[in-house]
Every structure is written in structure tokens, then in C-alpha cells.
Amino acid sequence: MNQNVLIILASGSPRRKELLQQAGLEFEVVVSDVKEKITKTKPEDVVIELSEQKCRAVTDEFIRKTPKNIFDLIEKESGKIMIIGADTVVSMDNKILGKPEDSKEALRMLMSLSGRSHEVYTGVTCKVLQYNSFTEGLIETDSFSFYSETLVNMYPFNEYEALDYISTGEPMDKAGSYGIQGIGERLVQSINGDYNNVVGFPLSKFMKELSKREYVSYGDGSSM
Amino acid sequence: MNQNVLIILASGSPRRKELLQQAGLEFEVVVSDVKEKITKTKPEDVVIELSEQKCRAVTDEFIRKTPKNIFDLIEKESGKIMIIGADTVVSMDNKILGKPEDSKEALRMLMSLSGRSHEVYTGVTCKVLQYNSFTEGLIETDSFSFYSETLVNMYPFNEYEALDYISTGEPMDKAGSYGIQGIGERLVQSINGDYNNVVGFPLSKFMKELSKREYVSYGDGSSM
């Protein structure tokens, strides 16, 4: 695989970082303070909106003040930089479940998920920057957003199982109070859709987008 | 979570090991040489049969000659040992796809999966042993098998993408020539069912079985 763009992941999530590594992509992590502002109501619109805000914050920083070391990593005249923002929410009965405030709220959330199905949405926004010799700085040359939806079917479980799970500490920084890639997987019976989307990043859809737009390309395997 | 049994994983697969660790289970890995013999034709029967053979090989060894250090790990009079065998196959058009012999076969397999759906089956067999003071050795006190089936929907991809993937070396030790938890995830559009079953072990179904049979139990979270 040839990667024709320098990727900047605008997310501090260790799970998103692991997923990009798993795909064999080279990237840097740059996180910026964002004031998240939700104006939409539908979960697919909310995750696109929030991913756009996260991407925008880092993109604006790059445009305002190009990091000095960037041109050690890419060709100044021809290189491209792609900044990625992502946001994941859990949705049930038209209500969005975020991260729990405390173990009481985690228990309430988990019991509402028990024995039922819910949706997980992740929105992704990518903005591509390139050096412009006229402005002597970076300008935006491409921007696209997409989302992925996965249905998650939970096993029925009781308060003991939920409390036992909460006592591991895992639910506290997770939308919907569970992590499918951790101990929380024991609550999940099956999914319909993309697994990595539930983890926090729809990796295979992202790879398709990169390939379609020629930000990655595939050889003939002759390096075998 | 209280684990009331010493688990022995009769599989050398690093992926199965990672999954048991992810669930927070304590276990040892003991692998035995097995002559795999398939007498069945349906994939669900084949994976049960092969998982039984893998489990049986280690179980027989334990019964024939109890490992000395076992009773350092569990109470001799009351402790239980559970030996787990597992086998995963990919099935399409009533044909079972195993591991590829070489990159040519990997390419043929991958192209047959492109743009289509296939099933992944994992069979699991568990046998439980306990010390018997009359025979002064281990005897089998429980045995159960189950399988899980996951539908995997692949993106359409071309020979270049397949060859590029084969050049990473990842397909060579994988049933069906791809690994969903590695670079191969970029080929997978979505799944219906349990993700970990495709990785190689239906972890949440296994945890349900352990809980139902009281090999694990959950507290009230009071250790929080």
C-alpha cells in the first residue's frame, strides 16, 4: 500500500490510534481543545457535526501556523496533509447516550441497554491541506465527511453483572457506558454492521474513501 | 467476577489468547499434537468435531498424567480444571476454506470472497476435570460444546488490492486467507453476528456458558 498523504489524527482516543495502526497507516496525533456545540438532533447529523468541529479546530491551527517539522515529513511543494476528526455516540429510542457522569448513571444506562438493540454512530470528517507558494502557507484542497451506523444486540443481564462490570472502571469513559473491545464484550450478543465503528472508527469505510480519492494506492504485490 | 475454575486453553493461537485476556479470565496455555480427522460435512459439525479432538488430546494427557504444578494453582479436593478446544473455518457455497498453501491459493481464495458474503464458524468444546480421591487422579465431570456462526460481507476488491494484502504476509496462517482483526479488516464491509467469532473465539457466548454453569459468578460491585 502506498500512502500519498500525511495523516494527522485529531483525536486523543487510544482506540482510534490502535485502529489506524492496525490498518498499517502512518500518522501523527494532534489534539486541540474544542468547544463541542450540538445544533442537530439526529444522531447521524450530530456525529458529523462534532467530527467536523474536532477536525476544524486542528485544521485552523495548521493553517494559522504551519508546524515547522511538517516539511521534514512531506515534500513541501507536492505533499498533502489530511486531518481527521471523529465522534462516536450510542443511540436508543431517539435518545443519545454519552459518557456516564458516575457509576449510578453508568448502571442506569447499562440496564436500559440490557436485552435490547441500540445503534452506534461514528462520524468522520477529513480535511486535506497543501502548501501554496502564492500564500506561502497551507490551504484546504479537499474536505469530506461520512458516517457509519452499527446495530448492537445486547444479551439480557442483571444488576449484578452490570455492577460487576462497572467495578472494572471500564464504562466510565465510554459512550453508552460500555466498551465492545474490552470486558464489555461479554454483554454483546451480536452486531449488524462494522465492528470497528462501535470501537470508535469505521476503518474499512475510511480505507475505501482513501482509495477512491487516491490518497492510498495498491501495488501488484511485487514487493512480496 | 469470580472465576471458579482453572482454565486451560488448548490452542496456540495468539488471537484466542488475547481474547481470553480481554475478558479478564485467568488461564494457562497447553497445546498438544492432534491428528485432525474430519468425518462430518456441514461446517458447524466440522468445527465442533475438530474442537473436540483438540480438547480431547489435552484432556487425555491431564488424566493420564496430572501436571504436578496444577495443585499449586487450585485446591486439590475442590478445584476444577476446564480445558478448552476451538476451531474456526470459513464457509462459502457449502465449501470449507482452510488456510492457504501458498500466495497463489491465497489470491484465488481472496478473489472468490470479493464482493460477496460468506460464513465463519467457530466450534468450542470444554471439558471439566476434578480430582477424585478414590482413583487418586483427575476425572471428567462435565463436557459441553457449542458453535457460533457469523456472516461476513466483503467489499468488492480487485487483484491489486488482494496482492497488496497478500504481500503483508498476514493471509498465510488464516482460514479463508484473511484476518479481520488485522490489515484484512479493510476488505470487510460489515458483519452479522459475533465479531470475536470471526477472530477465532466466540467470547461472549463462552462467557454466557460459564456464567450459566456457574464457572464464573458476578458480585454486587462492592469492590468498587
Side-chain angles (χ1 to χ4, degrees):
Chain A
M1 184 175 70
N2 286 314
Q3 182 178 330
N4 312 319
V5 65
L6 172 67
I7 291 178
I8 306 290
L9 176 62
S11 168
S13 154
R15 296 175 289 280
R16 295 201 178 108
K17 196 175 155 185
E18 274 168 35
L19 286 176
L20 292 194
Q21 280 165 341
Q22 177 193 313
L25 292 167
E26 287 180 26
F27 62 98
E28 306 283 325
V29 174
V30 178
V31 188
S32 184
D33 273 344
V34 190
K35 279 204 185 109
E36 297 186 4
K37 204 189 154 202
I38 299 177
T39 67
K40 313 282 185 179
T41 49
K42 284 201 279 183
E44 58 269 41
D45 298 335
V46 170
V47 291
I48 293 278
E49 183 171 46
L50 292 175
S51 74
E52 211 282 339
Q53 291 169 11
K54 291 176 182 177
C55 180
R56 167 65 54 204
V58 173
T59 303
D60 283 352
E61 269 184 37
F62 270 63
I63 290 178
R64 203 162 42 235
K65 193 164 175 294
T66 309
K68 281 192 188 103
N69 62 342
I70 282 289
F71 299 115
D72 300 342
L73 299 170
I74 57 167
E75 285 281 333
K76 187 168 180 176
E77 301 302 323
S78 61
K80 287 174 184 160
I81 303 164
M82 175 182 285
I83 293 153
I84 310 171
D87 192 77
T88 303
V89 302
V90 166
S91 165
M92 198 170 63
D93 304 333
N94 295 316
K95 229 185 94 185
I96 289 176
L97 306 181
K99 298 173 184 179
E101 290 280 326
D102 50 30
S103 29
K104 228 177 190 170
E105 197 186 359
L107 180 63
R108 205 165 45 235
M109 261 192 223
L110 284 171
M111 293 318 296
S112 76
L113 300 178
S114 170
R116 299 187 53 195
S117 299
H118 63 267
E119 288 92 38
V120 178
Y121 292 87
T122 298
V124 177
T125 296
C126 304
K127 293 186 187 294
V128 178
L129 303 179
Q130 218 172 339
Y131 182 77
N132 181 284
S133 56
F134 182 66
T135 65
E136 292 186 335
L138 295 171
I139 58 164
E140 194 178 307
T141 58
D142 192 9
S143 175
F144 59 97
S145 294
F146 63 91
Y147 75 93
S148 179
E149 177 188 349
T150 305
L151 190 78
V152 179
N153 311 298
M154 293 297 233
Y155 275 118
F157 50 85
N158 61 29
E159 275 84 355
Y160 275 3
E161 285 168 84
L163 285 167
D164 188 287
Y165 176 46
I166 294 166
S167 76
T168 65
E170 191 178 273
M172 299 318 290
D173 68 333
K174 308 280 191 305
S177 302
Y178 76 96
I180 196 171
Q181 78 298 333
I183 300 167
E185 71 76 34
R186 73 179 184 220
L187 310 175
V188 178
Q189 184 162 22
S190 65
I191 68 166
N192 298 357
D194 179 11
Y195 172 82
N196 291 325
N197 186 49
V198 186
V199 176
F201 195 74
L203 189 56
S204 63
K205 203 166 184 175
F206 175 68
M207 294 303 288
K208 270 286 163 205
E209 288 290 333
L210 290 195
S211 166
K212 202 172 72 185
R213 292 161 188 268
E214 298 182 353
Y215 293 120
V216 303
S217 56
Y218 300 108
D220 59 0
S222 58
S223 63
M224 271 193 266
Chain B
M1 183 175 71
N2 286 314
Q3 182 179 330
N4 312 319
V5 65
L6 173 66
I7 291 177
I8 306 290
L9 175 63
S11 167
S13 154
R15 295 175 289 280
R16 295 201 178 107
K17 196 176 156 186
E18 273 168 36
L19 286 175
L20 292 194
Q21 280 165 341
Q22 178 193 314
L25 291 167
E26 285 180 29
F27 62 97
E28 306 283 327
V29 174
V30 179
V31 187
S32 185
D33 274 342
V34 191
K35 278 203 186 111
E36 296 186 6
K37 203 188 155 202
I38 301 176
T39 66
K40 312 283 185 179
T41 48
K42 284 201 277 182
E44 58 268 41
D45 298 335
V46 169
V47 291
I48 294 278
E49 182 170 46
L50 292 176
S51 73
E52 212 281 339
Q53 290 170 13
K54 290 176 182 176
C55 180
R56 166 65 55 205
V58 173
T59 303
D60 283 353
E61 269 183 36
F62 270 64
I63 290 177
R64 203 163 43 238
K65 192 164 178 294
T66 310
K68 282 191 187 107
N69 62 343
I70 282 289
F71 298 116
D72 299 342
L73 299 170
I74 58 168
E75 284 283 331
K76 187 168 179 176
E77 299 304 322
S78 60
K80 288 173 182 160
I81 303 165
M82 174 182 287
I83 293 155
I84 311 171
D87 192 79
T88 302
V89 302
V90 166
S91 165
M92 198 170 62
D93 305 332
N94 296 316
K95 229 186 95 184
I96 289 176
L97 306 181
K99 298 175 184 178
E101 290 280 325
D102 50 30
S103 29
K104 226 178 192 170
E105 197 186 358
L107 180 63
R108 205 165 44 235
M109 260 191 223
L110 284 171
M111 293 318 296
S112 76
L113 300 177
S114 169
R116 301 187 52 194
S117 299
H118 63 267
E119 288 92 38
V120 178
Y121 291 87
T122 297
V124 177
T125 295
C126 304
K127 293 185 186 295
V128 178
L129 303 179
Q130 219 172 341
Y131 182 77
N132 182 284
S133 57
F134 182 66
T135 64
E136 292 185 338
L138 295 171
I139 58 164
E140 193 177 307
T141 58
D142 192 10
S143 175
F144 59 96
S145 295
F146 63 92
Y147 75 92
S148 178
E149 177 187 351
T150 304
L151 189 77
V152 179
N153 312 298
M154 294 295 233
Y155 275 118
F157 50 84
N158 62 29
E159 275 84 355
Y160 274 3
E161 284 167 85
L163 285 168
D164 187 288
Y165 176 47
I166 293 166
S167 76
T168 66
E170 191 178 273
M172 299 319 290
D173 67 333
K174 308 280 189 309
S177 303
Y178 76 96
I180 197 171
Q181 78 298 333
I183 300 167
E185 72 76 34
R186 74 178 183 220
L187 309 176
V188 178
Q189 184 162 24
S190 65
I191 68 166
N192 297 359
D194 178 12
Y195 172 81
N196 290 325
N197 186 50
V198 186
V199 176
F201 195 74
L203 188 56
S204 63
K205 203 164 183 175
F206 175 68
M207 294 304 289
K208 270 284 160 205
E209 287 290 334
L210 290 195
S211 165
K212 201 171 71 186
R213 291 160 188 268
E214 297 181 355
Y215 293 119
V216 302
S217 55
Y218 300 109
D220 60 359
S222 58
S223 63
M224 270 193 266

